[in-house]
Amino acid sequence: MKDFRKFMRDNIVVFDGAFGTALQRRYPGAGTLPEKLNLTRPDIIARIHREYAEAGADVISAATFGANAAKAGDMSDDLIRAAIKIARSAAENRFVALDLGPTGQLIEPLGTMSFDTAYDVYKRAVLAADGADLVLVETMSDLAELRAALLAVKENSDLPVIASMTFFDNMRTFTGCDVTSFALTAAPLADAIGVNCSLGPDKLVPIVEKLVLLTDKPIIVQPNAGLPDPDGNYSVGPEEFASYCEKYVRTGARIIGGCCGTTPEHIALLRKIADREKPYPCGYKPFSAVCSARRSVIVDGVRVIGERINPTGKKAMKEALKNGDEGYIVKQALEQEEAGADILDVNAGLPEIDENAVLTSLVRLLQRVTDLPLQIDCTKPDAVESALRAYHGKAIVNSVNGDESSLSSILPIAAKYGAAVVGLTVDEKGVPDTVERRLEIARRIIGRAKEYGIPEQDVYIDCLTLTVGAQQEQAARTLEAIRRIKSEYDVRTVLGVSNISFGLPNRKIVNTGFLSAALWAGLDAPILNPNIPENMQTVAAYNVLSGADVNCAAYTEKYSAIELTSKEIRRAEHDRADAGDNDLIYAIRKGLPSAKDAAAKLLDSGIAPLDLVNGYLIPALNSVGDDYEKGILFLPQLISAADSAKACFDEVKKRMPAGSAKSGDTVVLATVEGDVHDIGKNIVRTVLENYGYNVIDLGKNVPCEKVAAEVSKTGAKLCGLSALMTTTVPNMQKTIGLLRRDCPDCTVMVGGAVLNEDYARKIGADYYCKDANADVKIAKHVFAGEPLDLPRLTETV
């Protein structure tokens, strides 16, 4: 029973059920850090563990979910040691898992906690967990935080580690991470991956069905027993819960258990399923893909890698890198994205700069402003590792070559972080003259990559683009090498296309001709400038002629309204990009730092401060909010846009006449008593402040009486309450009751992951807010009488 990896391979594994809700039933006074009971009431903790063990759980999760240093401070180590000891003694002959939950803070750039700080929090927890058999990293919504936890486990122990995120019914997490990006990023770092908590067992079926196709790692599923009513009773009983878990197993899941609301009775039925079922095949077939935290790119056809963030031969980019001109770099990234690039190459190879620091900084900058996956273009091991550590997704590393020193230094790093890798068909002997020599080097790279655990699908072979003006015969050899390598291996191919025409006039003519030939030879990932329309036209034409663009749909959509002249195409494809950071609304929508300067420029030109707010800032935020509601944009873009707008608003306030703000437009916000999760509330505060409202933020874990007293003192007409934990919703209901008694004229809006509209109605709220944009709409209605498209849940007083 000590080899969990083997046990997981051979069996259907049963985890225990909900700890928090079980504790709440037995000990309602557990408080905001129930893990303290590991020291003060170990008997209660042991009893819950023992009941789950007796119900048939193979794994008991120690009471350490919130015992990390970010929440428990200096008590963290003692709480974790005690928890492991209690679980071990209470459930003999069971596996004991160190249970790691979120820190309660967002990682940069979404929040203020650095990746390194989060890593240190989890490292400390791992080092304190002597005696654990495995680690469960669960209920994660931020892929950056999940990576910090997984790396902390892998680098500081040899324990098996399971990664589990919580998804909404749009198959994305709170921060916008999609299921595919999660699987691509987490699977290389974890021994098993999966989903827990969320909205109930029925909502997880499509997620499980997708996960089993995305990885060959075991899948864990730990659903809630539905959602609770105001009294804390959950809607899904043991039999119904077990029926869904049986479906998960037959879909290919290997590990089943329960989250909020599940009981020993639920787990006892899962034990019966595990005893009668054997592991089912998962249906996974290897495929090529890369991703950011919110966008995955499956490389099953032509995928364009944008080449512009590279100083080689680009004077303006060279100066931008030397001078730290983020605005220029961001503009290049966004222009390439809008022109149709699928992946962005990122290169900081200048002798005058610290390549390690600048490359890592570029990765952090770019993943803040674009969802496109990145290709880390560097051959220095320390810089590659630093950049990959900062990247929250699955990247491509460009590159290794056939030289053993390159292979042995870069491949282990790529394997560690689960990155794909470009292999150049060149070695210590130089550039091969023949097709056979290129194939020989390619085979060497593929073989060495496999030794490090990098599959063929994650190897991108570069058969070299040599200058046709100097070595004309090499163009045909490159094309032949592509054809040969694609026929022998399941690798992908990549080429820097524009090298072909160096030194020739009218280079686009040669470039597009070579690009077309290379695509027909089997080129998967051309590295090119997508801002040159002829490049993207060639790709579009190939997709039509090869059948990849089914019914010519993409081609028709893009080119049907464009006259077939280079000038017209260029203008049509770049209208938005040409606006760039000179357009304030565009800059806010994209979250650009230049928004502040654009706002200052408009104000200096004579536009009135309130006209800037009404004509630019509010329309921009409304546009972002609408796209967020539609699922076009996600939380990181919402925060970036809010940050840009806030910087603009700071400029407005400098020029705002005294007394122009409405004194009555005050909103009181609070995370209710017992709840320490304030991410959502903080986002609402930022967005409301950007709209000019006076926000009084009472913080988290706020007593009911304090909320009512503050609303009464300030005369606030609007109060917003948030809760993330099911166990704290009764305190939200109590707070609303006090507001109704003491502040009857105050409108109450509520939000949080555990709420929905029906639940909000039951606890007496006036409005349910599914996102920050809804809060703004309600504020406009309350203070300015603007029409509201959200239902009022209570009778108007």
Side-chain angles (χ1 to χ4, degrees):
M1 287 293 291
K2 290 301 179 183
D3 188 348
F4 182 73
R5 290 186 178 93
K6 183 178 186 304
F7 186 81
M8 183 170 53
R9 286 195 303 269
D10 299 338
N11 299 275
I12 301 298
V13 182
V14 178
F15 261 67
D16 53 7
F19 180 85
T21 46
L23 182 63
Q24 185 70 21
R25 286 193 294 268
R26 287 174 170 77
Y27 196 82
T32 59
L33 189 65
E35 288 79 8
K36 288 181 180 179
L37 295 178
N38 286 308
L39 300 177
T40 60
R41 292 296 306 272
D43 56 312
I44 295 176
I45 306 294
R47 180 182 174 186
I48 295 172
H49 290 332
R50 194 174 298 114
E51 289 177 353
Y52 280 122
E54 292 171 353
D58 297 307
V59 182
I60 300 299
S61 300
T64 54
F65 178 82
N68 60 71
K71 291 181 175 179
D74 292 339
M75 299 179 63
S76 175
D77 293 358
D78 291 339
L79 293 177
I80 290 172
R81 292 189 189 101
I84 299 294
K85 185 177 180 180
I86 294 168
R88 176 66 66 203
S89 62
E92 295 180 0
N93 300 319
R94 299 292 191 274
F95 293 104
V96 171
L98 168 65
D99 189 346
L100 298 179
T103 62
Q105 302 180 46
L106 283 172
I107 309 297
E108 295 174 335
L110 299 182
T112 57
M113 178 178 277
S114 72
F115 181 85
D116 290 341
T117 299
Y119 173 88
D120 288 341
V121 166
Y122 291 114
K123 175 182 176 180
R124 178 173 173 176
V126 170
L127 294 177
D130 184 42
D133 300 308
L134 66 145
V135 181
L136 172 65
V137 182
E138 58 147 314
T139 323
M140 290 287 177
S141 61
D142 184 357
L143 194 58
E145 185 173 30
L146 177 67
R147 290 184 71 251
L150 291 176
L151 286 168
V153 177
K154 301 297 284 187
E155 293 177 350
N156 296 283
S157 80
D158 59 358
L159 293 176
V161 57
I162 298 173
S164 183
M165 298 194 84
T166 181
F167 293 88
F168 295 126
D169 52 9
N170 64 354
M171 299 183 75
R172 289 185 179 270
T173 71
F174 174 66
T175 62
C177 177
D178 68 290
V179 175
T180 304
S181 293
F182 160 58
L184 292 174
T185 305
L189 298 173
D191 296 279
I193 68 170
V195 57
N196 76 290
C197 202
S198 300
L199 302 173
D202 57 329
K203 302 293 185 180
L204 299 191
V205 172
I207 295 175
V208 177
E209 290 174 341
K210 188 165 187 176
L211 276 174
V212 297
L213 301 177
L214 294 171
T215 180
D216 58 355
K217 295 289 179 72
I219 300 299
I220 182 172
V221 194
Q222 291 181 287
N224 285 347
L227 291 175
D229 62 24
D231 297 323
N233 299 312
Y234 284 78
S235 57
V236 179
E239 290 78 12
E240 181 183 356
F241 186 85
S243 70
Y244 282 107
C245 289
E246 185 173 42
K247 183 178 293 186
Y248 303 146
V249 169
R250 294 184 176 182
T251 302
R254 292 289 187 90
I255 310 169
I256 50 177
C259 203
C260 302
T262 55
T263 65
E265 288 73 23
H266 289 77
I267 302 307
L269 293 184
L270 300 194
R271 178 72 266 159
K272 293 181 179 179
I273 294 172
D275 288 343
R276 69 171 178 261
E277 301 286 352
K278 294 296 182 183
Y280 283 75
C282 65
Y284 168 76
K285 294 180 180 179
F287 63 100
S288 296
V290 291
C291 70
S292 66
R294 292 171 299 280
R295 184 186 299 188
S296 52
V297 173
I298 310 300
V299 188
D300 56 357
V302 179
R303 301 293 179 261
V304 172
I305 302 176
E307 69 178 10
R308 297 299 299 166
I309 305 175
N310 186 326
T312 305
K314 303 176 184 69
K315 184 178 179 180
M317 181 58 69
K318 183 182 296 185
E319 292 303 311
L321 291 174
K322 287 166 60 177
N323 300 326
D325 184 354
E326 292 187 352
Y328 179 81
I329 296 167
V330 166
K331 186 172 185 289
Q332 293 298 314
L334 295 178
E335 284 185 354
Q336 291 183 96
E337 179 177 12
E338 291 171 353
D342 300 294
I343 300 163
L344 295 181
D345 185 81
V346 186
N347 184 303
L350 283 176
E352 310 97 301
I353 63 177
D354 180 348
E355 186 173 1
N356 188 330
V358 174
L359 184 62
T360 303
S361 178
L362 281 176
V363 168
R364 292 193 177 113
L365 170 68
L366 292 172
Q367 64 184 353
R368 184 172 69 84
V369 299
T370 177
D371 286 341
L372 292 186
L374 300 183
Q375 174 172 273
I376 310 300
D377 192 349
C378 179
T379 59
K380 297 179 179 178
D382 58 340
V384 169
E385 174 147 28
S386 180
L388 288 177
R389 199 172 187 84
Y391 184 62
H392 307 315
K394 178 180 179 178
I396 304 173
V397 174
N398 183 11
S399 58
V400 298
N401 58 56
D403 189 337
E404 179 56 30
S405 63
S406 172
L407 296 170
S408 60
S409 62
I410 298 294
L411 289 179
I413 298 170
K416 173 182 176 180
Y417 292 95
V421 64
V422 171
L424 298 175
T425 53
V426 62
D427 59 14
E428 66 277 5
K429 297 178 183 178
V431 178
D433 289 331
T434 67
V435 172
E436 286 301 330
R437 276 280 295 133
R438 293 184 199 186
L439 294 176
E440 178 187 326
I441 296 171
R443 294 182 187 110
R444 187 189 316 159
I445 293 170
I446 295 167
R448 294 288 283 127
K450 285 183 179 179
E451 292 175 14
Y452 285 104
I454 301 173
E456 287 183 18
Q457 296 77 22
D458 282 342
V459 177
Y460 292 64
I461 295 297
D462 188 335
C463 292
L464 303 180
T465 306
L466 302 178
T467 304
V468 73
Q471 296 173 285
Q472 198 164 6
E473 73 285 352
Q474 289 297 331
R477 292 175 187 173
T478 295
L479 298 177
E480 178 61 20
I482 292 173
R483 279 189 286 267
R484 292 275 302 277
I485 201 68
K486 290 285 288 186
S487 69
E488 293 184 27
Y489 294 95
D490 192 16
V491 297
R492 299 301 177 262
T493 53
V494 61
L495 281 179
V497 174
S498 61
N499 292 343
I500 194 73
S501 64
F502 185 77
L504 295 177
N506 292 310
R507 295 179 62 185
K508 285 186 291 187
I509 298 172
V510 177
N511 289 349
T512 53
F514 179 66
L515 173 59
S516 181
L519 294 174
W520 284 106
L523 175 61
D524 298 292
I527 303 175
L528 50 78
N529 182 355
N531 299 324
I532 297 175
E534 290 82 357
N535 286 338
M536 302 308 290
Q537 292 165 36
T538 301
V539 172
Y542 169 79
N543 285 333
V544 167
L545 297 172
S546 66
D549 182 3
V550 178
N551 297 324
C552 311
Y555 179 88
T556 302
E557 180 181 358
K558 185 171 185 178
Y559 293 111
S560 60
I562 298 176
E563 294 183 21
L564 292 180
T565 68
S566 178
K567 181 178 179 181
E568 290 300 317
I569 291 172
R570 185 182 301 276
R571 186 176 69 193
E573 290 186 349
H574 296 287
D575 275 348
R576 290 178 67 194
D578 286 343
D581 52 8
N582 295 320
D583 183 331
L584 178 55
I585 292 178
Y586 176 90
I588 292 172
R589 278 184 55 82
K590 295 297 184 180
L592 303 182
S594 59
K596 179 180 179 181
D597 295 333
K601 185 176 180 180
L602 286 170
L603 291 166
D604 290 340
S605 72
I607 188 172
L610 287 179
D611 288 343
L612 184 79
V613 171
N614 294 325
Y616 291 86
L617 303 190
I618 290 178
L621 287 171
N622 284 341
S623 175
V624 171
D626 289 343
D627 284 350
Y628 179 75
E629 281 191 346
K630 295 172 184 175
I632 298 171
L633 299 179
F634 303 101
L635 182 62
Q637 291 99 329
L638 187 69
I639 292 177
S640 293
D643 287 343
S644 291
K646 188 176 187 303
C648 297
F649 200 79
D650 289 341
E651 290 296 317
V652 169
K653 286 192 285 189
K654 292 178 185 177
R655 297 165 171 83
M656 191 84 78
S660 62
K662 295 181 180 179
S663 60
D665 291 2
T666 297
V667 183
V668 173
L669 297 180
T671 299
V672 297
E673 186 172 8
D675 207 315
V676 294
H677 301 85
D678 62 353
I679 294 173
K681 184 261 300 172
N682 291 344
I683 293 169
V684 170
R685 180 193 66 208
T686 299
V687 174
L688 287 174
E689 286 178 341
N690 287 339
Y691 275 86
Y693 294 104
N694 174 38
V695 178
I696 299 174
D697 185 355
L698 298 179
K700 55 192 177 184
N701 188 26
V702 183
C704 311
E705 295 78 11
K706 184 176 179 180
V707 177
E710 187 66 30
V711 171
S712 179
K713 183 179 76 173
T714 60
K717 299 299 182 184
L718 181 61
C719 178
L721 303 175
S722 72
L724 187 66
M725 300 165 60
T726 58
T727 53
T728 60
V729 174
N731 288 333
M732 180 179 280
Q733 186 174 18
K734 181 180 176 183
T735 304
I736 293 172
L738 287 178
L739 289 170
R740 294 283 179 249
R741 186 191 71 186
D742 300 341
C743 314
D745 294 332
C746 180
T747 297
V748 182
M749 56 185 182
V750 298
V754 296
L755 296 176
N756 56 33
E757 187 177 301
D758 289 339
Y759 205 23
R761 181 182 289 106
K762 288 178 181 178
I763 62 176
D766 294 303
Y767 295 102
Y768 163 67
C769 305
K770 68 175 183 178
D771 54 42
N773 193 48
D775 294 80
V776 172
K777 291 179 179 179
I778 293 166
K780 289 179 179 180
H781 176 69
V782 169
F783 294 113
E786 292 191 15
L788 183 62
D789 58 0
L790 299 173
R792 186 179 180 96
L793 308 179
T794 57
E795 294 294 329
T796 304
V797 178

